Amino acid sequence: MNEMTITNAQYTTTANTTIICKIGGIRMQVPTDLDNRHYVEIKKQVDAGTLTIADAD
Amino acid sequence: MSKARQLADNGAGGQHKNLVINGGMQIHERGGTITLGTGLTTTLDRMTFFKSHGGTNTVEQSTVAPVGFSHSLKAITTVADSSVAATDRVAMIYRMEGLDAAKLEFGSSSAKTITISFYVRSSITGTHGGAVGNGSDNRAYPFTYAISSADTWERKVITVPGDTTGTWAVTNARSLQVSWGLGVGSTYSGSAGTWEAADRNSASGATTGVLTTANATWYITGIQIEAESFATPFAPKSFAEDLYDCQRYYFKFLEGNNKEVGVGWYYSSSHVSFMFRYPTTMRATPTATDSTGTNFYTIYRNGGSDGFNSVAFENGSTESYSAYNSSEVSGTAGQAGIVRATNASSKIEFDAEI
């Protein structure tokens, strides 16, 4: 099972350095760092096809 | 080698023998009563819970504590789960970073015996369970401990032989972890007293009473993990030392009105930039959380002010994070000022938990 419920994911910068999303209903901004547990979970869900990250505005 | 030499080498009697940060439960930066969500929830600093069941649990810092301690972690079952399915579980987990666990040499023939000691108190008596495991969730050593008297502090000691196989991180990744099951189904429970290739949070036969009983309570404090085959007295650190160590994993930059962020400047007429620096190097580039609302933050510049509602984080590292707002601000490019939180509900947090 997923360890976190993640929704509304979108990169905050065109360099894709940070993702804004909701985790467990809370607004969070997650760096694209594989040592960050939130990003590891985001990547896992993206790789599984259950989450999509929108481009930066 | 003499016992005295061994004790000296291991720092026994010194405050650095304990591999647990915030074992005395004095640090609760997030504050308040925390309702566990599905999956992982961090509560008091460094104390994570995993919950997957139909009931509700809350966790808070308590001043109910055994002699010699000022605080404990208190878990309460506010809504019981009367039927614990095989995959149901709620457990407190202390997750140790590999850089700290490396000295134990798990996964090698030199793996050291460890001893876990803690003070526990519960309204539910009987045999309780837990488990030591690795960060890959595929090595586990379940254990049991008995609570003989309800609502009474008891010190428990668990000695675990070092695991000579398996993968045990020696980097900043998740490594050795200790779980205390408050109600764990059969899938995540194993035979006590032996290493196995499995993901466990408790031992077979342990009570699930904390989970199945409304208003059941479970307290813990004085957690110590040491590279010894016996328990030594809990080695407290100063509050400041424990707080500093905790901030490698979580740091509340500000909460409340009139709290300073720092210097900000107009990169353009509609874009204000500023920086956050942490008090210590964090374990990883942290996740940032900002509370949002009308004029929660303000830049004061050129004799005036310019409010904005939220913070966008840009480029992070283990030392700092750059940030900006380009949604509500309006000023003159090149002007600088001071950025300040300007609402009682303003809050900025950084989380690099494992």
Side-chain angles (χ1 to χ4, degrees):
Chain A
M1 66 171 289
N2 292 328
E3 289 190 338
M4 306 167 195
T5 302
I6 302 172
T7 57
N8 302 104
Q10 181 182 23
Y11 290 109
T12 61
T13 65
T14 54
N16 295 351
T17 53
T18 299
I19 299 164
I20 189 167
C21 59
K22 287 195 171 181
I23 300 179
I26 298 170
R27 169 189 157 102
M28 295 189 186
Q29 300 185 55
V30 180
T32 51
D33 175 356
L34 284 170
D35 289 331
N36 180 291
R37 66 187 171 119
H38 296 118
Y39 181 62
V40 169
E41 185 67 18
I42 288 172
K43 190 171 184 306
K44 187 175 91 175
Q45 295 187 24
V46 168
D47 291 345
T50 57
L51 178 69
T52 301
I53 306 171
D55 291 336
D57 289 331
Chain B
M1 182 183 292
S2 70
K3 179 60 71 178
R5 181 68 256 167
Q6 285 181 320
L7 291 170
D9 287 348
N10 289 330
Q15 62 184 7
H16 298 296
K17 67 181 179 181
N18 190 359
L19 293 171
V20 177
I21 298 168
N22 198 27
M25 307 298 173
Q26 286 190 288
I27 314 298
H28 185 28
E29 290 184 86
R30 293 169 181 82
T33 299
I34 295 173
T35 300
L36 301 185
T38 298
L40 293 167
T41 303
T42 307
T43 59
L44 275 63
D45 284 55
R46 304 297 296 118
M47 305 298 157
T48 298
F49 279 74
F50 191 97
K51 172 186 176 288
S52 177
H53 68 84
T56 305
N57 310 89
T58 62
V59 174
E60 62 195 44
Q61 187 182 45
S62 172
T63 54
V64 174
V67 173
F69 294 86
S70 59
H71 293 87
S72 65
L73 176 149
K74 178 184 183 183
I76 310 165
T77 299
T78 52
V79 177
D81 182 349
S82 58
S83 177
V84 179
T87 57
D88 283 353
R89 53 177 162 158
V90 60
M92 188 186 98
I93 309 172
Y94 183 83
R95 295 176 144 195
M96 192 182 297
E97 181 177 347
L99 293 169
D100 287 334
K103 67 182 72 170
L104 301 175
E105 298 185 88
F106 275 35
S108 79
S109 58
S110 303
K112 293 181 171 64
T113 295
I114 60 170
T115 295
I116 305 159
S117 54
F118 54 94
Y119 292 81
V120 66
R121 162 187 168 135
S122 178
S123 61
I124 304 297
T125 59
T127 301
H128 290 244
V132 179
N134 68 348
S136 303
D137 295 323
N138 57 16
R139 296 292 299 167
Y141 185 97
F143 61 80
T144 60
Y145 63 93
I147 292 184
S148 51
S149 301
D151 303 320
T152 304
W153 285 106
E154 301 176 29
R155 189 181 192 218
K156 304 300 172 186
V157 175
I158 313 291
T159 296
V160 179
D163 188 13
T164 56
T165 62
T167 301
W168 297 82
V170 294
T171 64
N172 63 343
R174 178 161 59 106
S175 188
L176 184 142
Q177 58 185 29
V178 181
S179 302
W180 287 263
L182 305 190
V184 178
S186 58
T187 299
Y188 298 104
S189 299
S191 298
T194 186
W195 282 103
E196 59 177 327
D199 181 12
R200 306 296 194 205
N201 293 124
S202 189
S204 303
T207 182
T208 56
V210 176
L211 174 54
T212 59
T213 307
N215 301 314
T217 56
W218 181 85
Y219 297 78
I220 191 167
T221 193
I223 303 173
Q224 182 156 285
I225 300 174
E226 53 193 314
E228 285 291 354
S229 57
F230 52 88
T232 62
F234 180 77
K237 288 187 285 190
S238 72
F239 181 88
E241 277 184 293
D242 247 344
L243 177 61
Y244 187 79
D245 288 346
C246 288
Q247 289 178 333
R248 177 169 171 79
Y249 304 91
Y250 171 86
F251 169 52
K252 180 159 40 179
F253 189 96
L254 64 82
E255 182 173 24
N257 197 7
N258 292 322
K259 302 294 170 65
E260 309 295 0
V261 171
V263 173
W265 61 95
Y266 284 84
Y267 172 75
S268 70
S269 62
S270 59
H271 184 124
V272 163
S273 293
F274 40 98
M275 292 285 298
F276 293 90
R277 292 197 69 86
Y278 327 131
T280 186
T281 300
M282 299 194 80
R283 184 195 64 82
T285 305
T287 295
T289 304
D290 64 319
S291 62
T292 63
T294 302
N295 295 333
F296 268 33
Y297 311 93
T298 300
I299 179 167
Y300 294 87
R301 84 286 186 254
N302 195 35
S305 63
D306 190 6
F308 53 98
N309 303 346
S310 61
V311 175
F313 289 85
E314 195 167 17
N315 292 306
S317 72
T318 54
E319 282 78 34
S320 64
Y321 223 129
S322 59
Y324 66 95
N325 180 280
S326 60
S327 302
E328 291 92 22
V329 295
S330 178
T332 302
Q335 284 190 347
I338 188 164
V339 176
R340 183 175 296 159
T342 45
N343 188 283
S345 297
S346 303
K347 185 157 73 170
I348 302 284
E349 302 166 279
F350 295 98
D351 180 339
E353 288 285 357
I354 305 173

